[in-house]
Amino acid sequence: MRRSIALALALLVTLLMVGCGDSSTSAEPAPPPAPPPSPSPSPPPPSPPPAPSKTSPTFTKDDLPRIALGPKNAPSGLRYLKEESGPTTLAGIGLILPRQTRPLRALGFKAVHDSVFVAKAQSDQRVSQRLWLFRNRRGASAWLKKTRDDSVALQWAPIGAPQLGDESWAARGLIQIGGGEAMTHAFRLGNAVFTVSMYGNVTPPTEAGALAAAKAALAKASRG
């Protein structure tokens, strides 16, 4: 009897195994695993801070002889005229009337300095630089505008030129006293206004020569 029970159990196990195989449906293949999320792009590195702009210098009266054109800065073919150069006064340059001096004083005028160059050979060509020193940049900027307005009133014609210093203008025209033609470049650097003029009658100025003299004045003041 034990043998019969063992055979019956073996048959039951076999039938269960076959039944499970026949009646069950094939398992659907498992979907592939979802790809891992793409990593978020790294934020761009922060932009470097902008380089600080170079601050224009603030000059004092004692700086003027050092930043003005001197004998070593004479334009080609010209020589430094010591007797007409150096510190001067408003009266010394012909500004004596209150209507002439009052606007300058109101803008904070402090000092004026000249540098004059004349031709070495038989020529009437000259280059002159005049430095106007003011208490602050605002006064210097206003005076630069005044010099430009004066050139327009004299019917001088603007000439093409790169910007010099913090702001600038350039023009050419006829000299009312003495005759001849002049080219002037005027620019502001900090609290100083620089006017650089080339003029002559027999030997008229050239745009290249006038611009070279102005650039030399800017370079000297910037190094100062």
Side-chain angles (χ1 to χ4, degrees):
M1 186 172 178
R2 290 181 180 177
R3 178 180 177 85
S4 299
I5 295 172
L7 290 173
L9 291 172
L11 179 59
L12 177 60
V13 170
T14 301
L15 291 173
L16 288 173
M17 291 179 66
V18 173
C20 289
D22 291 342
S23 61
S24 64
T25 58
S26 300
E28 293 291 335
S38 301
S40 300
S42 301
S47 302
S53 57
K54 186 177 180 181
T55 304
S56 297
T58 298
F59 300 110
T60 67
K61 187 175 179 179
D62 292 339
D63 291 326
L64 298 188
R66 178 170 51 85
I67 65 174
L69 293 173
K72 295 181 179 180
N73 313 116
S76 177
L78 304 181
R79 63 178 178 84
Y80 183 72
L81 195 60
K82 183 177 180 180
E83 55 268 31
E84 293 186 21
S85 303
T88 185
T89 62
L90 293 181
I93 60 177
L95 301 180
I96 55 177
L97 299 177
R99 62 180 176 82
Q100 296 172 320
T101 60
R102 192 177 296 117
L104 273 164
R105 303 291 186 192
L107 294 176
F109 168 79
K110 297 185 69 175
V112 62
H113 187 107
D114 285 348
S115 295
V116 179
F117 302 87
V118 296
K120 297 177 181 178
Q122 295 299 319
S123 169
D124 65 344
Q125 193 171 77
R126 292 164 63 100
V127 168
S128 66
Q129 178 200 48
R130 178 159 287 167
L131 274 100
W132 303 86
L133 183 69
F134 293 84
R135 185 168 54 248
N136 53 44
R137 292 168 174 79
R138 180 179 300 177
S141 184
W143 183 247
L144 180 68
K145 181 180 183 302
K146 171 70 165 54
T147 62
R148 183 178 61 233
D149 292 344
D150 288 346
S151 75
V152 173
L154 292 171
Q155 298 183 337
W156 282 29
I159 56 177
Q163 178 177 311
L164 301 177
D166 299 318
E167 49 183 331
S168 62
W169 62 265
R172 68 191 303 167
L174 298 178
I175 303 173
Q176 293 184 335
I177 300 176
E181 184 182 4
M183 290 186 186
T184 295
H185 290 263
F187 63 90
R188 178 181 67 83
L189 188 63
N191 61 325
V193 172
F194 301 70
T195 57
V196 183
S197 299
M198 173 178 277
Y199 49 96
N201 191 358
V202 177
T203 309
T206 64
E207 289 192 20
L211 179 58
K215 286 184 173 180
L218 175 61
K220 179 71 181 292
S222 300
R223 288 195 305 268

